[in-house]
Amino acid sequence: MVTIKKKIIIILMIVISVFSIASLSMPLLKGSTALFYDSGRIDAFKYFSKCLIENFNPWIGIGTASSSYWGPACQIKYNYAVDHWMPWLHSDYLLFFFENGIIGLIIYLTTICYLISMAYKAQKPYLFSAFIGYLGCMLFNYPLHFPVHVFLGCLIVREIFNDKFVNL
């Protein structure tokens, strides 16, 4: 039996998926023949990774929540897209690596792997696929900076742990 809460979660996921697909297809609607439009993200990944490795300690990063300062500084140093500032790196994984280094990224990825295993063990396919979709969105976007996306991510993680803590 599908409860109201599950219906709301499914509807939210469908709406976010439709908006995500629509935003990815915008270049095609504008006449571009490119199948994948990265809007410069791949180059940004390259320059910000280079900046981290050459100017900071890649093991510990530049410091949590400091990319809004160091991101534009790296853009100036490498003369990359100085016509518009990138306070975030358009990838939560890269941002986490840039701010927290290799050690922080390993901890972050370990936590994500644990959550993936918990979502799989919950035997709720909609929950597992929602979480995998959210992680996929984090690859070329930064949902952890938007309140609506953070709420959705928290809702998914809460559902992953829901059965685990009910019987305590």
Side-chain angles (χ1 to χ4, degrees), residues 57-77:
N57 184 342
W59 289 100
I60 59 173
I62 63 170
T64 302
S66 61
S67 66
S68 59
Y69 173 76
W70 287 112
C74 288
Q75 284 181 258
I76 291 169
K77 179 173 180 148

Side-chain angles (χ1 to χ4, degrees), residues 5-146:
K5 185 169 81 171
K6 287 181 185 177
K7 287 180 183 177
I8 291 172
I9 291 171
I10 291 170
I11 289 170
L12 279 172
M13 288 181 219
I14 290 171
V15 167
I16 289 173
S17 298
V18 167
F19 280 114
S20 298
I21 291 169
S23 68
L24 288 174
S25 63
M26 287 307 285
L28 295 175
L29 296 175
K30 292 180 181 177
S32 173
T33 58
L35 182 60
F36 178 71
Y37 178 68
D38 71 348
S39 66
R41 284 175 167 87
I42 304 299
D43 288 335
F45 297 169
K46 180 177 72 173
Y47 284 110
F48 285 115
S49 296
K50 182 178 178 181
C51 182
L52 174 67
I53 292 168
E54 290 179 357
N55 302 297
F56 301 99
N57 184 342
W59 289 100
I60 59 173
I62 63 170
T64 302
S66 61
S67 66
S68 59
Y69 173 76
W70 287 112
C74 288
Q75 284 181 258
I76 291 169
K77 179 173 180 148
Y78 293 103
N79 196 27
Y80 172 71
V82 292
D83 56 333
H84 65 281
W85 299 120
M86 294 178 158
W88 298 299
L89 305 184
H90 289 81
S91 169
D92 279 336
Y93 302 108
L94 185 64
L95 182 69
F96 209 83
F97 169 62
F98 192 65
E99 291 182 348
N100 300 294
I102 295 169
I103 295 170
L105 185 63
I106 289 171
I107 294 169
Y108 186 61
L109 293 176
T110 302
T111 304
I112 286 175
C113 288
Y114 176 72
L115 288 171
I116 289 172
S117 71
M118 291 296 297
Y120 183 76
K121 289 177 186 175
Q123 295 185 356
K124 297 177 182 175
Y126 71 92
L127 184 60
F128 180 74
S129 60
F131 189 61
I132 296 299
Y134 193 83
L135 295 175
C137 178
M138 290 171 61
L139 187 60
F140 288 105
N141 210 336
Y142 42 101
L144 297 180
H145 290 85
F146 298 110

